[in-house]
């Protein structure tokens, strides 16, 4: 079975192609200043996964839903809010932390994250989450969303054993490279894709700094629009 293909779209946005060819967008803010022009208008969308309600993560979810009618995976309150904005969310309520949704053989499990949370209009969107995606070939990728490091990342590693961790490293709004290094130690994950850095001058953390704090981890540094197989 083919590998999982991961494309960084800038900030915390990713396009992921599963081994069976399903196209997944995670936190699709395609208007972010680092997103390549040729990625701003998707040609197909099968699944959208959203970690929390801040506008830089909800991004273009509503517009993409109206155009492509994908399955949406988001915390229960946020999924309800997306439906209120006109997104096609179906009848199934969104999960909460610890819950798993399976779509076309791909499992999405919501896990904890430590961050603030609101919808783009200031409403309540539930608590922020991370998402562990387990693909058809059993590859597991942990998208941490926006968070600081926390001790129970060790449980995420113990229970789900992610092959790759996608971690924010920019600092200020999320953890910085020093905290991300500790996060990788707790997770026990040996490959990491850094994100949520460099979008704005305020997000100062760099992959080079992360390498200093996680010397035994393979840091998979991507340029916006670049794809890697994992």
């Amino acid at each position: 079975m083919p590998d999982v293909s991961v494309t960084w779209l800038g900030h915390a946005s990713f396009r992921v192609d599963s081994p069976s060819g399903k196209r997944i967008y995670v936190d699709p803010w395609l208007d972010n200043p680092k997103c390549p022009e040729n990625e701003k208008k998707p040609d197909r969308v099968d699944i959208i996964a959203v970690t929390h309600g801040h506008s830089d993560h909800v991004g273009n979810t509503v517009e993409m839903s109206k155009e492509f009618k994908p399955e949406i995976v988001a915390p229960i309150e946020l999924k309800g809010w997306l439906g209120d904005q006109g997104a096609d969310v179906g009848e199934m309520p969104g999960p909460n932390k610890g819950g798993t949704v399976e779509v076309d053989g791909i499992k999405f499990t919501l896990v904890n994250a430590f961050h603030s949370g609101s919808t783009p209009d200031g409403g309540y969107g539930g608590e922020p989450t991370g998402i562990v995606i387990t693909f058809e070939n059993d590859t597991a990728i942990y998208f941490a969303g926006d968070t600081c490091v926390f001790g129970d990342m060790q449980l995420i590693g113990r229970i789900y054993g992610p092959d790759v961790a996608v971690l924010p490293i920019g600092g200020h709004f999320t953890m910085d490279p020093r905290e991300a290094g500790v996060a990788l130690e707790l997770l026990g994950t040996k490959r990491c894709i850094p994100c949520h850095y460099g979008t704005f001058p305020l997000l100062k953390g760099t992959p080079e700094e992360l390498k200093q704090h996680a010397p035994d981890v393979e840091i998979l540094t991507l340029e916006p629009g670049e794809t890697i197989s994992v």
Side-chain angles (χ1 to χ4, degrees):
M1 184 172 281
D3 293 333
V4 178
S5 174
V6 180
T7 303
W8 187 38
L9 303 179
H11 200 58
S13 302
F14 287 87
R15 172 170 56 79
V16 183
D17 290 289
S18 81
S20 67
K22 295 297 179 183
R23 179 152 292 179
I24 304 161
Y25 281 82
V26 179
D27 288 344
W29 182 32
L30 306 186
D31 296 325
N32 82 73
K34 298 295 184 179
C35 185
E37 282 297 324
N38 65 343
E39 294 284 0
K40 289 181 180 291
K41 295 187 180 297
D43 55 13
R44 65 184 180 92
V45 183
D46 297 309
I47 305 166
I48 298 174
V50 186
T51 59
H52 66 288
H54 285 162
S55 60
D56 59 326
H57 292 256
V58 169
N60 303 87
T61 297
V62 173
E63 303 95 299
M64 293 165 68
S65 171
K66 290 178 180 178
E67 182 174 358
F68 296 102
K69 302 294 189 285
E71 188 75 27
I72 294 178
V73 179
I76 179 170
E77 297 89 351
L78 179 57
K79 188 174 181 181
W81 180 88
L82 290 167
D84 292 341
Q85 311 313 304
D88 184 357
V89 297
E91 298 297 322
M92 177 70 71
N96 214 321
K97 296 177 184 180
T100 298
V101 173
E102 185 167 341
V103 183
D104 296 325
I106 305 166
K107 296 177 182 178
F108 298 79
T109 302
L110 300 193
V111 296
N112 208 8
F114 281 83
H115 193 58
S116 57
S118 64
T119 56
D121 60 4
Y124 180 64
E127 292 189 3
T129 69
I131 302 177
V132 178
I133 306 179
T134 305
F135 294 88
E136 307 95 322
N137 63 354
D138 290 329
T139 296
I141 302 180
Y142 166 48
F143 290 87
D146 282 2
T147 188
C148 59
V149 66
F150 55 94
D152 284 350
M153 284 182 170
Q154 188 171 13
L155 292 177
I156 295 172
R158 176 181 174 184
I159 297 169
Y160 304 106
D163 299 284
V164 179
V166 179
L167 301 182
I169 66 164
H172 195 83
F173 300 113
T174 69
M175 57 185 164
D176 61 10
R178 180 183 179 187
E179 285 202 2
V182 176
L184 289 165
E185 180 182 333
L186 292 167
L187 289 162
T189 305
K190 294 303 181 184
R191 290 185 290 172
C192 174
I193 298 174
C195 69
H196 210 287
Y197 69 92
T199 320
F200 311 106
L202 196 58
L203 306 182
K204 296 178 180 179
T206 67
E208 289 70 28
E209 292 176 87
L210 178 57
K211 290 175 184 177
Q212 295 175 13
H213 293 287
D216 297 326
V217 176
E218 183 181 6
I219 306 303
L220 306 172
T221 304
L222 302 178
E223 294 296 323
E226 185 177 355
T227 300
I228 191 170
S229 293
V230 299

